[in-house]
Amino acid sequence: HSLCCQCGVPIPPNPANMCVGCLRAQVDITEGIPKQGTVHFCKQCERYLQPPGTWIQCALESRELLALCLKKLKASLSKVRLIDAGFIWTEPHSKRLKLKLTVQKEVINGAVLQQVFVVEYIVQSQMCEDCHRIEAKDFWKAVVQVRQKTVHKKTFFYLEQLILKHRLHQNTLRIKEIHDGLDFYYSSKQHAQKMVDFLQCTVPSRSKSSQRLISHDIHSNVYNYKSTFSVEIVPICKDNVVCLSPKLAQSLGNMSQICVCIRVTSTIHLIDPRTLQIAEIDGNTYWRHPFNSLFHPKQLEEFIIMDINRVHEKKKGAGAGARSNKHTLAEAWVRKTSELDTDHQYFCCTHLGHILNPGDLVLGFDLANCNLNDEFANKMNPQHIPDVVLIKKSYDRSKRQRRRNWKLKELERDREATDTDDERQYQDFLEDLEEDENIRKNVNIYRNADIPVESDTDDDGAPRISLAEMLEDLHISQDATGGEGAEMLT
């Protein structure tokens, strides 16, 4: 045994001739290693900043997080040898990470000293660039603005269902609803272009695009553009009465200028209520020969059928086009339900002969007592303008709503204030689906098991959707990752 040269305690011989206590007092091998530090953490996406500019995902007490913390000490740890490093448990919400390090260093005359110490990191919140751009709403590269200059949103409800069916909403960053349309935001121009192509195949429309330079890096010659695609949908909806230009009516097989729109798919489907002649008008034709709806949907009036006769043979005019085989031509005498105390009756031809009987209620437009402010209608011979155009049979709406055993999905979107009118229009759209299987084919309809199946005794003959056309709405509550499972389409 030799004695320590500082305090005289007997010790096993070592190159420094000192006991461990005195050595530690003389030399602190952790000197110059910071005992405190900070790490930056983004609360939105839960990633840590790895300087200078990378954000990485690390779990608490993981090897990745340990490596990230040690990197911050790398320079100061170069003078010692790191033997061991690990986390000391801290409260997950304490915004503190504690690291326990064991280091060795050769000191006086080759003696090796080992020391354990703790470094404490404060976790500071800092929003990463990606989240910042999302918050600032400027992260989109392209927007598709879909507009339709009509009072009725039927076309948009239909479009929404097509988008859901074809899963085109998956690339959108956000969808914003405004009073006359929808805006779809995308992170790339390609996604937006795909949406525009889809719209042009599914609804009669026209589009134009523009782009605006946001930034330009002169060193790398990178240009950053924002693209805007404007898509304008033809301003005609199902159940509108329209007045065609004489030229267009003639080119469609000498149709009457006054027609009813029976549906809008990728084309506008028109029927002439006097002859059952039908025609389809695509977007291009419409923009070359535009026409307007003569009435606002709120101007529909209720009539009662006093008498109706089906017209079996009506001879075709010269050059007439195809006729509808789904409708039956009839001549009817009707009276407004608001004028039942008078004897005032109207005579009209209708394409609804297959569903109307005396005593039925029917919705229609009164052309005899209104001021038609339309450039083509004003020039027409008044004898060619019918007094009344019947649009659809009227059923008890609340009863239909109670009995509806199906539902639709909706797109997630930012809405401006919705009004009661929107709800009424949505009900209109649901009724259109019940009445028209052609539109229904393009829509995913889900069974609503909450509505009990009821007896048919109180059935007023309103059109229904068969169970065969409904999809089961499957919800898988949890998937393997623990997140909400995606909705399965069967």
Side-chain angles (χ1 to χ4, degrees):
H1 275 292
S2 62
L3 303 179
C4 167
C5 67
Q6 289 285 323
C7 62
V9 174
I11 50 164
N14 67 34
N17 259 346
M18 277 190 214
C19 68
V20 175
C22 294
L23 241 176
R24 286 230 171 109
Q26 291 277 320
V27 184
D28 177 11
I29 64 168
T30 68
E31 196 181 5
I33 301 175
K35 307 298 185 288
Q36 272 188 332
T38 50
V39 288
H40 294 285
F41 175 70
C42 174
K43 280 195 270 197
Q44 259 81 353
C45 59
E46 305 194 336
R47 295 185 300 175
Y48 291 89
L49 173 64
Q50 186 172 321
T54 337
W55 290 83
I56 54 172
Q57 204 97 33
C58 331
L60 279 174
E61 308 212 348
S62 63
R63 289 174 54 183
E64 294 81 22
L65 191 54
L66 187 63
L68 187 130
C69 293
L70 287 174
K71 261 198 180 126
K72 292 190 169 285
L73 303 175
K74 195 172 172 187
S76 52
L77 285 175
S78 58
K79 299 190 179 69
V80 294
R81 190 189 308 137
L82 184 64
I83 300 296
D84 186 34
F87 283 106
I88 302 176
W89 188 84
T90 51
E91 278 284 350
H93 298 294
S94 65
K95 296 269 181 5
R96 298 283 184 277
L97 299 172
K98 288 189 176 177
L99 232 59
K100 182 180 179 183
L101 305 179
T102 309
V103 293
Q104 283 184 349
K105 188 180 179 181
E106 202 173 284
V107 289
I108 307 162
N109 304 338
V112 174
L113 193 57
Q114 179 167 312
Q115 211 168 325
V116 178
F117 65 105
V118 173
V119 181
E120 183 181 38
Y121 289 96
I122 295 168
V123 180
Q124 283 191 346
S125 293
Q126 180 183 331
M127 201 185 271
C128 67
E129 287 74 55
D130 296 348
C131 293
H132 195 85
R133 299 218 324 254
I134 288 171
E135 282 299 301
K137 299 274 193 281
D138 74 336
F139 62 118
W140 55 274
K141 283 281 166 64
V143 59
V144 179
Q145 297 173 333
V146 189
R147 299 289 179 269
Q148 186 183 30
K149 296 190 173 85
T150 57
V151 193
H152 210 292
K153 291 191 173 160
K154 271 184 188 179
T155 312
F156 282 107
F157 293 133
Y158 173 60
L159 203 54
E160 173 181 26
Q161 293 306 318
L162 289 177
I163 290 168
L164 283 164
K165 182 169 178 125
H166 295 283
R167 304 183 82 91
L168 269 161
H169 56 298
Q170 287 175 321
N171 299 326
T172 53
L173 299 170
R174 74 193 248 262
I175 302 172
K176 188 175 171 193
E177 184 177 311
I178 50 180
H179 69 97
D180 58 349
L182 292 169
D183 289 349
F184 296 88
Y185 292 90
Y186 294 93
S187 55
S188 80
K189 191 176 171 179
Q190 285 78 10
H191 289 328
Q193 185 63 59
K194 195 172 161 191
M195 182 65 164
V196 173
D197 296 345
F198 171 76
L199 289 170
Q200 295 202 303
C201 300
T202 48
V203 284
S205 56
R206 61 178 172 184
S207 69
K208 56 177 193 278
S209 65
S210 61
Q211 55 182 19
R212 174 166 79 102
L213 184 64
I214 300 300
S215 60
H216 168 211
D217 184 347
I218 48 173
H219 303 295
S220 59
N221 222 14
V222 171
Y223 290 84
N224 183 7
Y225 288 106
K226 274 190 178 178
S227 306
T228 302
F229 295 89
S230 307
V231 179
E232 188 184 352
I233 300 174
V234 163
I236 304 294
C237 290
K238 177 177 157 53
D239 298 340
N240 282 167
V241 174
V242 299
C243 184
L244 311 178
S245 67
K247 196 171 171 186
L248 180 59
Q250 190 186 355
S251 71
L252 296 172
N254 292 326
M255 275 180 100
S256 306
Q257 281 180 253
I258 295 206
C259 298
V260 177
C261 171
I262 44 178
R263 79 176 68 90
V264 178
T265 53
S266 54
T267 55
I268 305 169
H269 299 250
L270 298 178
I271 190 165
D272 176 350
R274 295 182 176 191
T275 62
L276 296 194
Q277 196 173 314
I278 48 175
E280 287 186 34
I281 295 176
D282 62 10
N284 289 336
T285 312
Y286 177 86
W287 298 116
R288 278 204 309 277
H289 305 281
F291 50 86
N292 295 313
S293 168
L294 298 179
F295 292 95
H296 186 299
K298 285 182 180 162
Q299 290 169 290
L300 272 172
E301 293 187 68
E302 194 174 53
F303 295 86
I304 186 162
I305 303 280
M306 307 309 287
D307 189 21
I308 186 161
N309 299 309
R310 308 213 174 1
V311 178
H312 294 297
E313 251 336 291
K314 177 128 184 174
K315 73 175 202 296
K316 277 191 169 189
R323 289 188 183 178
S324 168
N325 47 19
K326 292 221 169 100
H327 298 82
T328 304
L329 192 61
E331 294 176 338
W333 285 95
V334 296
R335 191 183 279 186
K336 284 190 190 181
T337 51
S338 59
E339 298 178 344
L340 286 180
D341 50 349
T342 68
D343 299 335
H344 196 182
Q345 293 195 15
Y346 300 88
F347 173 77
C348 62
C349 287
T350 177
H351 57 296
L352 301 174
H354 53 302
I355 51 171
L356 295 180
N357 294 301
D360 281 349
L361 293 178
V362 59
L363 297 172
F365 292 112
D366 172 4
L367 283 79
N369 302 308
C370 72
N371 178 15
L372 286 180
N373 187 11
D374 179 87
E375 59 167 326
F376 303 131
N378 292 346
K379 293 177 187 161
M380 275 178 76
N381 178 343
Q383 273 143 10
H384 294 163
I385 298 181
D387 288 346
V388 167
V389 176
L390 300 181
I391 299 293
K392 58 179 183 178
K393 190 169 169 178
S394 175
Y395 301 98
D396 178 348
R397 169 166 271 184
S398 55
K399 200 187 253 180
R400 281 179 88 163
Q401 249 173 295
R402 274 200 311 278
R403 199 192 278 147
R404 190 167 288 136
N405 58 345
W406 52 274
K407 58 188 177 192
L408 301 173
K409 291 207 153 70
E410 284 191 29
L411 288 173
E412 289 285 313
R413 54 185 182 266
D414 306 343
R415 279 195 170 94
E416 290 182 354
T418 53
D419 47 15
T420 47
D421 201 39
D422 282 6
E423 186 45 44
R424 189 183 61 80
Q425 293 187 17
Y426 191 62
Q427 291 301 322
D428 282 348
F429 171 64
L430 298 182
E431 288 173 13
D432 288 350
L433 285 179
E434 287 172 334
E435 288 159 26
D436 189 349
E437 77 232 17
N438 289 34
I439 302 184
R440 217 154 58 216
K441 286 189 193 115
N442 304 327
V443 172
N444 281 342
I445 292 168
Y446 296 93
R447 230 184 78 161
N448 186 355
D450 308 339
I451 306 291
V453 179
E454 47 164 59
S455 67
D456 289 339
T457 47
D458 62 343
D459 197 353
D460 55 359
R464 312 275 297 265
I465 296 183
S466 66
L467 280 172
E469 294 177 82
M470 298 179 199
L471 301 171
E472 286 298 327
D473 188 7
L474 288 187
H475 271 290
I476 296 179
S477 55
Q478 295 276 322
D479 65 355
T481 58
E484 175 90 15
E487 284 159 6
M488 228 165 92
L489 295 174
T490 51

